[in-house]
Amino acid sequence: MRRETLLNAAIALGLLAVPLWAWSAGEPFTITLATRAAILALAGVGLNLALGLGGLVSLGHAAFFGVGGYAMGILAHHAQTFAPLDLGLFTVAGTKSMPVIWLTAMVFSALAALAIGALSLRTSGVYFIMITLAFGQMFYYFAISWPAYGGEDGLSIWVRNGFPGLNTLDPIQFFAICYVLLMAALVLSAVIARSPFGLALNAARQVPQRVETVGIPVYRVRLVAFVISGTITGLAGALFADLNRFVSPSMFSWQLSGELIVFIILGGTARLFGPVAGACLFVALEHWLGGLSDYWHIYLGALLLGVVLFARGGLIGTLAGREVAHD
Amino acid sequence: MTEPVLATHGITKRFGAVTASEEVSLDLRPGEIHALIGPNGAGKSTLIKQICGNLRPDAGTVTFLSADVTAEDTVARARRGLGRTFQISALAMEDTVLQNAVLGAAGASRRAFSLWRPALTDRSLRAAAEEALERVGLSDYAATRTAELSHGQRRQLEVAVALTLKPRAFVMDEPMAGLGTEGSQTLTAFLDTLRHEAPILLVEHDMDAVFALADRISVLVYGRVIATGDREAIRTDPAVREAYLGEEA
Ligand SMILES: Nc1ncnc2c1ncn2[C@@H]1O[C@H](COP(=O)(O)OP(=O)(O)OP(=O)(O)O)[C@@H](O)[C@H]1O
Ligand SMILES: [Mg+2]
């Protein structure tokens, strides 16, 4: 337990130290890589709540990532074109304010998670995986066939959105924003894992009939977890769009849902920092191996196979022992 | 006569050609232990599942504390105060003994949707859980992972989790199974006092325990109750001797 805490602290500090070093050394590209890792980690932290703690293997979390991304894209698009968003009964002005965009992204991804979860959670096992995948694909094709916001080509945002008091165009400041949000999500996850709710969610993964027998409705517990999970992933989507200043249907792709699962498996399922370790490793490999070969996913696949076969607890499990992340 | 706490009225359940419950009517009165015995496959567990809401009967009703609960699910019945133990331990094996008990306490106090305060340091949840563990003699194992418990200790934990609910009636499916002589005797003594807190519907194969504890015994054979009565009546019932006790008598 203590060893895992130390390891978590080391990962958190490492993710902070690398961009700080890059900043002092004048290497903005490395800062961007670290920002990408932090954002993908945030999306993974969201998924980990459903998948790790709740055992809900969602292959559709890209839906929430994409909803968050498009919330940013649509609001910023209307702001930069000075064309208010026409909602029929009334119109809404676009915005370039990050807090407003984040809130919108979270509200809409929560609603999407509520709808998808309410239907998907009536199934389990492989059916759950398939139905979440199907919902993800529905969002993907919807985005492709929505010409108002770029369709297949996506939407470009000319200038990064703003945050009061900060210069978000400065890579290190934007990194700081993403890093703080990641840490906040990790604290939230740790708190939830220790709460009575986390206890029930974790027990429902192991023995659902026990949880019902003590008067706790398993379906509702899972639905709440799924909504919180989707909301965090949605927030990550809004940041990801801001990092690239671009949104496209690929944010909804099932490959992305798969990558989020890969982070969790690489880092260690149900480990608090599992998705952080996994996302950092993924971004590093993508950068180095991607530079060597276009087919770097082959190496990633081999690594994944190795982890699944020989290191079931992932990176964190291998380094910190087999206890679960919460006591 | 006092009104029964829990009762089934003409419950019937079929699985294809198998009739697992046929017109089963039995009741559980305040302060009593009502034992349900019968050979393997007689339909005891199936009856328990219908009483607890895991299975819907094809016909008949279940009443609990004067309410018809036939259409209610497990959660609703648990919230009314039905405390159940499983024939095969259903515990969160990766969690500690204390966490399993705290889960019960969280369910009982309707706190399962509390997201902020840590469950294990919550005073009232912890007190309820520790009291239940103490009563079944598992206090020393609170921090042990449930997977590391012996079979007998898991059976004790099953009972402890049910205790955290402070139930109005207990439904126990073979709590003595695999306990060994000493364990069975300890649990028998415990259930003997527990009946004054809430009556117990006890499915059990351990005849020493059944005849030591039961105020009434019902005998289930092929889904049908062939006899209900006190210990003496069941011991001397010719149909029971033939169908069931015959092998042992
Ligand atoms: N879900 C099911 N589908 C089909 N048949 C079932 C099902 N559940 C139980 N049965 C059958 O119903 C009958 C009663 O089973 P049940 O488990 O209730 O017996 P039991 O009295 O609890 O036996 P034991 O003493 O072995 O625990 C058996 O013939 C069993 O095979
Ligand atoms: Mg049985």
Side-chain angles (χ1 to χ4, degrees):
Chain A
M1 192 59 230
R2 287 238 48 85
R3 217 157 123 198
E4 183 167 340
T5 312
L6 285 176
L7 186 62
N8 291 350
I11 294 171
L13 287 175
L15 181 56
L16 187 62
V18 168
L20 283 179
W21 164 82
W23 177 55
S24 64
E27 301 247 14
F29 182 67
T30 305
I31 302 178
T32 301
L33 278 186
T35 311
R36 184 177 160 82
I39 293 171
L40 291 175
L42 178 64
V45 168
L47 177 60
N48 201 28
L49 210 59
L51 193 154
L53 207 56
L56 308 170
V57 183
S58 161
L59 198 44
H61 257 52
F64 315 126
F65 197 67
V67 165
Y70 271 83
M72 173 306 209
I74 291 169
L75 287 175
H77 173 76
H78 284 281
Q80 73 189 6
T81 56
F82 301 102
L85 178 53
D86 189 352
L87 294 175
L89 287 177
F90 54 96
T91 61
V92 184
T95 176
K96 296 285 286 177
S97 155
M98 279 190 189
V100 177
I101 286 169
W102 296 344
L103 197 67
T104 313
M106 287 164 75
V107 167
F108 280 92
S109 43
L111 290 174
L114 185 64
I116 293 177
L119 294 167
S120 311
L121 288 168
R122 302 201 176 272
T123 66
S124 61
V126 97
Y127 296 99
F128 180 78
I129 299 178
M130 286 301 134
I131 195 168
T132 49
L133 172 64
F135 275 117
Q137 290 302 91
M138 272 172 54
F139 278 74
Y140 176 73
Y141 286 109
F142 181 75
I144 280 189
S145 57
W146 200 13
Y149 298 109
E152 220 164 331
D153 300 330
L155 271 178
S156 281
I157 303 305
W158 306 329
V159 182
R160 186 169 288 152
N161 297 302
F163 188 91
L166 292 178
N167 173 13
T168 56
L169 299 181
D170 178 4
I172 196 71
Q173 295 195 37
F174 183 59
F175 170 81
I177 290 175
C178 297
Y179 185 81
V180 166
L181 289 174
L182 172 63
M183 291 302 138
L186 285 165
V187 169
L188 180 73
S189 288
V191 167
I192 288 178
R194 284 174 168 78
S195 71
F197 177 79
L199 196 63
L201 179 63
N202 189 33
R205 172 176 59 81
Q206 305 171 54
V207 269
Q209 72 272 33
R210 155 60 59 213
V211 177
E212 304 232 294
T213 302
V214 298
I216 301 172
V218 165
Y219 173 80
R220 218 183 307 159
V221 167
R222 288 179 173 157
L223 186 56
V224 170
F226 197 75
V227 169
I228 298 172
S229 165
T231 307
I232 295 174
T233 302
L235 173 63
L239 294 171
F240 193 75
D242 236 330
L243 174 69
N244 303 322
R245 273 165 286 128
F246 177 64
V247 277
S248 78
S250 70
M251 284 186 77
F252 285 112
S253 70
W254 66 268
Q255 285 92 335
L256 196 123
S257 298
E259 280 171 11
L260 297 182
I261 295 179
V262 167
F263 303 158
I264 291 176
I265 295 173
L266 278 183
T269 310
R271 304 297 183 128
L272 180 61
F273 268 66
V276 184
C280 291
L281 194 62
F282 182 90
V283 170
L285 290 175
E286 183 183 47
H287 177 59
W288 286 317
L289 297 178
L292 296 176
S293 157
D294 283 345
Y295 301 107
W296 74 277
H297 278 98
I298 295 176
Y299 302 107
L300 178 71
L303 179 68
L304 201 58
L305 208 61
V307 167
V308 171
L309 289 177
F310 305 113
R312 293 296 288 273
L315 204 63
I316 300 209
T318 307
L319 294 175
R322 62 188 283 273
E323 287 102 318
V324 275
H326 49 92
D327 52 331
Chain B
M1 198 186 99
T2 47
E3 198 177 344
V5 176
L6 179 68
T8 69
H9 312 274
I11 275 189
T12 298
K13 182 79 196 174
R14 291 194 183 81
F15 297 114
V18 179
T19 303
S21 310
E22 190 176 348
E23 299 267 325
V24 177
S25 297
L26 47 81
D27 61 10
L28 182 66
R29 298 173 194 153
E32 79 167 344
I33 293 182
H34 186 159
L36 182 64
I37 65 174
N40 289 111
K44 303 180 295 293
S45 294
T46 304
L47 186 63
I48 297 290
K49 285 177 190 154
Q50 293 171 90
I51 290 172
C52 295
N54 307 83
L55 274 178
R56 220 30 62 91
D58 298 334
T61 57
V62 179
T63 53
F64 181 40
L65 301 169
S66 316
D68 183 343
V69 297
T70 317
E72 289 185 358
D73 63 7
T74 316
V75 172
R77 294 185 207 194
R79 287 182 168 184
R80 285 181 184 272
L82 199 56
R84 185 240 186 122
T85 70
F86 289 88
Q87 179 171 358
I88 297 165
S89 296
L91 299 162
M93 289 294 168
E94 295 170 18
D95 289 357
T96 63
V97 168
L98 182 62
Q99 282 175 317
N100 272 282
V102 166
L103 178 74
S109 58
R110 312 276 165 88
R111 300 262 304 279
F113 287 90
S114 145
L115 275 95
W116 305 118
R117 279 201 281 154
L120 295 189
T121 53
D122 182 281
R123 252 200 226 136
S124 68
L125 292 183
R126 196 168 173 131
E130 281 174 344
E131 187 200 325
L133 292 179
E134 157 109 61
R135 291 185 68 188
V136 301
L138 278 181
S139 291
D140 292 344
Y141 295 90
T144 307
R145 256 164 63 100
T146 305
E148 282 153 24
L149 291 185
S150 71
H151 174 80
Q153 290 167 328
R154 288 181 200 171
R155 306 303 300 165
Q156 289 169 284
L157 181 53
E158 275 279 327
V159 176
V161 177
L163 287 175
T164 60
L165 300 184
K166 306 228 183 304
R168 306 286 300 277
F170 288 97
V171 177
M172 299 190 176
D173 198 351
E174 300 197 30
M176 319 268 176
L179 272 191
T181 326
E182 200 184 322
S184 296
Q185 281 168 358
T186 315
L187 188 56
T188 301
F190 180 67
L191 295 187
D192 201 14
T193 60
L194 189 62
R195 81 177 93 195
H196 304 298
E197 270 168 53
I200 306 169
L201 180 64
L202 178 69
V203 171
E204 194 45 70
H205 275 303
D206 181 336
M207 285 306 139
D208 292 337
V210 167
F211 281 97
L213 286 172
D215 299 293
R216 288 188 298 152
I217 299 172
S218 290
V219 184
L220 199 67
V221 178
Y222 292 122
R224 271 179 353 110
V225 177
I226 62 164
T228 296
D230 63 21
R231 288 174 255 194
E232 213 37 53
I234 294 298
R235 217 190 296 266
T236 55
D237 188 300
V240 173
R241 294 186 75 91
E242 187 186 332
Y244 184 59
L245 294 173
E247 314 143 25
E248 294 174 14

